[in-house]
Amino acid sequence: MSSKPVEKLTSAEAEKELDRLAQEIAAHDSRYYREDAPSISDADYDALRRRNAQIETRFPLLVRPDSPSHRVGARPAEKFGKVVHRVPMLSLDNAFDDADVGEWLARMRRFLGMKEDVEIIVTAEPKIDGLSASLRYENGVFVQGATRGDGAEGEDITANLRTIADIPLRLKGKPPKLLEVRGEVYMTHKGFEALNKRQEKEGKQTYANPRNSAAGSVRQLDPAITAGRALNFFAYTWGEISELPADAQSEMLQKFEAYGFIVNPQVRRCKTLTQLLKFYESIAAKRAKLGYDIDGVVYKVDSLRLQERLGFVSRSPRWAIAHKFPAEQAETVLADIEIQVGRTGKLAPVARLKPVTVGGVVVQNATLHNEDQIARLDARIGDTVVIQRAGDVIPQVVTVLLEKRPRNARPYKFPDRCPICGSHAVREEGEVDRRCTGGLVCDAQTVERLKYFVGRDQFDIEGLGGTLIELFHNKGLLKEPADIFALTEKPQKVAAVLAEHRVALSEERRAAEGKDAVKAKTKKKDEGEGKQVENLMAAITARRTIGLDRLINALGIRHVGETTARLIARHYRSIDAFLDGMKAADALEELQHIEGIGGVVAEAIHDFFAEKHNRDALNRLLKWLDVQAMAAPSKTSPVSGKTVVFTGTLEKMTRQEAKARAEALGAKVSGSVSAKTDIVVAGPGAGSKLKEAQKHNVQVMDEEAWLKLIG
Ligand code: IVH
């Protein structure tokens, strides 16, 4: 990396460096994401990206169409075929301490309507730190193997998996006709060391840890290379299956063994929280001696019948949880505290640290969460602090080492004004965060909202990254989302803003290179810029057609991210139904009844629509858009697409469970009866809703009839 300060760069130098950085960062992305073999530290990589961003901020006109700031990570390698998982490969919710595990058990009991003393048998298994794979067997023969990918679609790595001795090519005994066995491909510590020694001897890339080396080995294009690597496989769950050969997780594992798989020998059945926690402690104590990496323990409800009743919340099952081992820690110096203002006005304190390695990763920023946290720690600039990181979570400052405090360190005073717009920053009662009250007048919030709007999971407008948003905002072209689309009607203005910056740029160039060189280059740039404006207009226009889920996510409503937005979109299906729903008197109630959406989230959505300026801004935006409705769930069940209301006491299951099941079958569960209701399930004690049903001539049935109907 060039060491010249960004302020001192001429535009010619900047252009050259951006070109080089784009290439270099793309190469690192590819090594990291595609080859599992990063060749620089995270800190050095971050530094490259930061330098790229700094140069782009100073020279917005030089932002390349292929700039690394427009990409979060490299796209998946194209080299393997794709495999769609018929049963998605889910992730697990995490528990970080004993209390979380207790709460998980309690939550399940509440969901199932069980008393506190009812036993739930749970299997406890080590959480293997490798990469998960799905193996498909038809008539006992291994036909296809795939990586997890994004859970819905993975890569076809059949040829490579065939070379792993732990993976049977033909099953023993009487397996189901169709069986997808899922588990973890991993490398033992011994295998890992031997591989790295060999790689080193041959002058090849060594791997950072066993997980990376297992991932890298499985994703070799040449299966002969995979065959030369000591890989192992533990089977722990299943995907698509023609018939279940057992009715408990523990029995399924025994079946897997009978079919010829290796199952982790540590797995235990536990009956109480105490037993689970004891298992966790004993595994933690054995961790170093196991011979392979694990990063926690997975608990799963043993009974498959109960698993089915418990079902899923968004991407993870209610019936399982991962109890993670504690994070890794390190000591370093708190060099500064910086306040960042987010799109909701939240003032987020970020610790700038002297770079330090924690668990193999260089860390130089950590979160300090909020004002109270800084006060609780009494963190002062210059202090020596302990930071920790766990998995992909943002590192955090956990303690301050008072004995190492410099004499002159002063207590940190949290600002009560927004560092960007100067508005008062206030803490509402009961809130931990201080928020800028600038709202629409705070540039930080406006810009962050717009950046979020064009983000990858929202409108994903190619070429319109943070730098251009800031530039257009500064020039008064952008204030709200609708303005982005209005840009397409003023290409001359957009070009003028760019041209204005050109003046500044060419002046600099003149100083650097002399007039003639400038003329030649300016001409070439003109053509380049014309194209840039054209491409940008095309990219914006392309997004005038947008899915309802993306639109809802892009609104930037507090607590509403990709997952929640999808739940809302699936529930209302079309933008008109959604807007009607928000206008209805029972808007809040209906939101609260969507599976997976809690009270706080429902209120945030409701509050958003209660504000006239939000509704107005959305209406201005909608003039530009063709919002695509969500497809109806493909599952056909006797109740799919029907609106159902539960009332009175249910005897076989809790209200929560009844609702979750109905929704899993494609029904919409509502809290109130209207002419739009299809079925009312009434238990003993049903009152006004039952009357309402009769008034509207809605079909009424008791719990038993309902259970029969849904099978
Ligand atoms: S069960 C629906 N069991 O952890 C449950 N997962 O965060 C599916 N993992 O992607 C997973 N050991 O790669 C399960 N004994 C175990 C596991 C395990 C490791 C990994 C797996 C999964 C991730 C979930």
Side-chain angles (χ1 to χ4, degrees):
M1 185 166 35
S2 146
S3 53
K4 195 162 176 182
V6 174
E7 310 82 68
K8 297 242 168 77
L9 289 178
T10 65
S11 59
E13 286 168 334
E15 189 172 11
K16 228 192 221 153
E17 201 178 337
L18 286 177
D19 176 44
R20 199 175 48 71
L21 282 166
Q23 286 181 35
E24 204 172 327
I25 293 171
H28 287 306
D29 279 347
S30 167
R31 278 198 282 277
Y32 183 88
Y33 289 101
R34 301 190 183 185
E35 292 154 36
D36 303 294
S39 58
I40 55 168
S41 73
D42 285 14
D44 289 342
Y45 175 79
D46 289 345
L48 288 179
R49 275 192 167 252
R50 218 172 22 252
R51 172 108 180 151
N52 186 70
Q54 282 163 351
I55 300 177
E56 286 183 343
T57 310
R58 184 153 171 251
F59 300 94
L61 274 192
L62 297 181
V63 173
R64 304 162 56 87
D66 65 344
S67 160
S69 14
H70 300 155
R71 275 176 306 130
V72 176
R75 276 152 223 273
E78 293 296 337
K79 49 193 184 181
F80 293 106
K82 298 271 175 274
V83 175
V84 173
H85 298 302
R86 305 272 279 276
V87 174
M89 290 181 81
L90 299 157
S91 53
L92 293 171
D93 205 5
N94 290 324
F96 294 102
D97 56 25
D98 297 0
D100 288 349
V101 181
E103 174 50 32
W104 170 67
L105 288 172
R107 209 159 50 227
M108 289 195 294
R109 285 203 179 89
R110 280 199 300 276
F111 184 89
L112 296 166
M114 285 178 173
K115 291 224 183 69
E116 262 170 58
D117 52 359
V118 179
E119 203 168 71
I120 298 182
I121 298 178
V122 171
T123 66
E125 317 174 358
K127 186 170 188 302
I128 316 299
D129 197 6
L131 75 151
S132 48
S134 187
L135 318 174
R136 190 178 176 90
Y137 291 83
E138 287 173 9
N139 299 313
V141 178
F142 178 51
V143 293
Q144 189 174 57
T147 62
R148 177 175 187 276
D150 62 4
E153 192 180 274
E155 287 176 325
D156 187 336
I157 48 165
T158 315
N160 294 347
L161 292 178
R162 274 182 201 285
T163 68
I164 300 177
D166 290 354
I167 295 180
L169 298 177
R170 188 175 285 277
L171 301 182
K172 294 190 286 190
K174 284 210 173 67
K177 267 175 83 79
L178 171 63
L179 170 64
E180 272 176 18
V181 169
R182 292 176 176 174
E184 205 84 353
V185 177
Y186 67 98
M187 198 175 267
T188 62
H189 293 157
K190 267 206 187 118
F192 167 67
E193 278 155 27
L195 171 63
N196 262 358
K197 236 183 228 154
R198 205 172 72 207
Q199 294 283 103
E200 212 173 318
K201 221 164 90 189
E202 294 170 8
K204 292 188 191 145
Q205 187 78 53
T206 55
Y207 291 99
N209 54 48
R211 202 208 76 82
N212 284 358
S213 74
S217 302
V218 153
R219 299 174 77 259
Q220 291 288 334
L221 265 188
D222 178 3
I225 298 182
T226 311
R229 308 265 169 104
L231 291 166
N232 298 80
F233 182 83
F234 280 129
Y236 52 64
T237 193
W238 60 95
E240 206 177 355
I241 191 163
S242 52
E243 68 264 313
L244 283 168
D247 47 27
Q249 165 73 14
S250 51
E251 291 164 21
M252 286 297 285
L253 293 183
Q254 283 167 16
K255 292 282 179 193
F256 288 168
E257 274 193 303
Y259 302 152
F261 291 98
I262 316 256
V263 166
N264 190 287
Q266 310 289 337
V267 179
R268 291 287 175 275
R269 271 173 101 234
C270 300
K271 295 187 172 168
T272 60
L273 175 60
T274 318
Q275 285 179 4
L276 287 178
L277 300 178
K278 231 166 123 186
F279 177 84
Y280 175 87
E281 291 305 332
S282 78
I283 288 292
K286 278 187 214 163
R287 187 176 177 186
K289 290 192 221 113
L290 289 175
Y292 48 85
D293 277 352
I294 61 172
D295 56 349
V297 168
V298 182
Y299 305 130
K300 301 173 188 169
V301 168
D302 199 37
S303 153
L304 302 190
R305 171 85 196 96
L306 283 185
Q307 285 190 8
E308 202 198 321
R309 283 181 62 192
L310 285 160
F312 303 84
V313 214
S314 73
R315 313 275 314 132
S316 20
R318 273 198 196 83
W319 46 264
I321 200 161
H323 190 177
K324 303 294 279 283
F325 288 136
E328 304 198 57
Q329 302 192 331
E331 224 179 278
T332 187
V333 172
L334 176 58
D336 199 3
I337 297 177
E338 193 182 296
I339 304 288
Q340 293 180 346
V341 183
R343 72 187 151 88
T344 60
K346 177 171 141 183
L347 268 52
V350 177
R352 300 281 176 223
L353 306 164
K354 195 172 140 211
V356 62
T357 308
V358 196
V361 172
V362 179
V363 171
Q364 43 194 350
N365 300 314
T367 175
L368 278 160
H369 299 290
N370 52 48
E371 181 173 10
D372 286 356
Q373 179 69 0
I374 298 180
R376 212 160 22 234
L377 296 166
D378 184 19
R380 304 180 183 190
I381 292 165
D383 268 341
T384 296
V385 295
V386 175
I387 59 158
Q388 75 171 26
R389 65 171 274 277
D392 302 331
V393 186
I394 302 170
Q396 48 182 326
V397 177
V398 282
T399 35
V400 169
L401 302 174
L402 292 177
E403 66 278 14
K404 296 197 178 170
R405 169 163 290 168
R407 277 158 160 258
N408 58 357
R410 296 275 157 270
Y412 179 75
K413 193 171 167 317
F414 202 89
D416 56 5
R417 287 193 176 263
C418 170
I420 306 297
C421 74
S423 300
H424 283 288
V426 298
R427 267 178 83 168
E428 302 278 343
E429 211 180 293
E431 287 271 328
V432 286
D433 293 314
R434 194 172 274 280
R435 284 175 199 277
C436 161
T437 53
L440 297 176
V441 308
C442 176
D443 283 347
Q445 291 185 49
T446 307
V447 167
E448 290 306 315
R449 273 196 302 270
L450 288 166
K451 282 187 191 166
Y452 182 77
F453 185 89
V454 298
R456 201 150 83 140
D457 295 332
Q458 293 79 24
F459 271 69
D460 192 22
I461 299 178
E462 210 178 315
L464 189 55
T467 318
L468 276 192
I469 292 267
E470 272 168 38
L471 175 65
F472 291 152
H473 174 263
N474 286 343
K475 293 290 161 192
L477 280 172
L478 285 185
K479 253 194 135 60
E480 59 172 47
D483 299 339
I484 293 172
F485 295 93
L487 289 176
T488 57
E489 285 191 342
K490 32 191 149 176
Q492 13 20 288
K493 255 196 190 156
V494 171
V497 165
L498 298 180
E500 189 185 329
H501 271 246
R502 276 280 313 286
V503 177
L505 286 173
S506 40
E507 267 162 14
E508 258 165 45
R509 266 195 209 129
R510 197 166 296 143
E513 302 165 17
K515 272 188 186 169
D516 292 344
V518 175
K519 266 192 201 148
K521 274 215 169 169
T522 310
K523 182 142 186 293
K524 222 168 109 205
K525 272 262 68 95
D526 274 344
E527 287 156 11
E529 252 150 39
K531 192 89 191 130
Q532 195 193 350
V533 174
E534 208 175 284
N535 288 345
L536 182 60
M537 302 291 128
I540 296 174
T541 305
R543 290 294 186 264
R544 289 183 58 178
T545 303
I546 193 87
L548 179 60
D549 51 344
R550 278 181 181 262
L551 170 66
I552 295 175
N553 185 8
L555 297 178
I557 303 171
R558 246 174 109 186
H559 307 300
V560 177
E562 198 186 348
T563 308
T564 309
R566 196 169 303 137
L567 291 173
I568 301 169
R570 287 217 180 110
H571 179 83
Y572 291 98
R573 305 266 169 82
S574 73
I575 180 72
D576 292 335
F578 177 48
L579 294 178
D580 284 347
M582 292 303 100
K583 273 185 222 145
D586 67 346
L588 184 58
E589 206 187 352
E590 176 155 11
L591 284 168
Q592 281 165 341
H593 278 90
I594 301 174
E595 167 74 354
I597 293 194
V600 177
V601 182
E603 255 168 54
I605 302 166
H606 190 247
D607 288 353
F608 180 90
F609 282 93
E611 296 278 349
K612 184 166 180 319
H613 66 83
N614 286 335
R615 293 195 307 267
D616 290 347
L618 177 56
N619 284 332
R620 287 191 290 271
L621 172 65
L622 288 174
K623 292 211 171 74
W624 294 96
L625 301 181
D626 171 15
V627 184
Q628 306 271 289
M630 298 293 278
S634 59
K635 238 191 256 162
T636 47
S637 85
V639 297
S640 84
K642 300 253 163 94
T643 301
V644 182
V645 174
F646 292 98
T647 180
T649 317
L650 298 180
E651 282 158 341
K652 300 253 161 47
M653 50 187 152
T654 61
R655 198 57 88 71
Q656 199 189 0
E657 183 182 355
K659 190 170 151 254
R661 295 219 28 181
E663 280 171 352
L665 293 168
K668 182 172 145 184
V669 178
S670 168
S672 57
V673 179
S674 73
K676 282 188 266 170
T677 312
D678 296 298
I679 302 172
V680 169
V681 181
S688 63
K689 286 184 192 164
L690 191 52
K691 275 198 201 120
E692 198 68 13
Q694 280 148 359
K695 190 173 111 195
H696 293 293
N697 237 338
V698 173
Q699 184 185 5
V700 177
M701 59 180 74
D702 63 11
E703 189 180 1
E704 208 154 306
W706 165 257
L707 289 175
K708 224 173 176 178
L709 175 66
I710 63 171

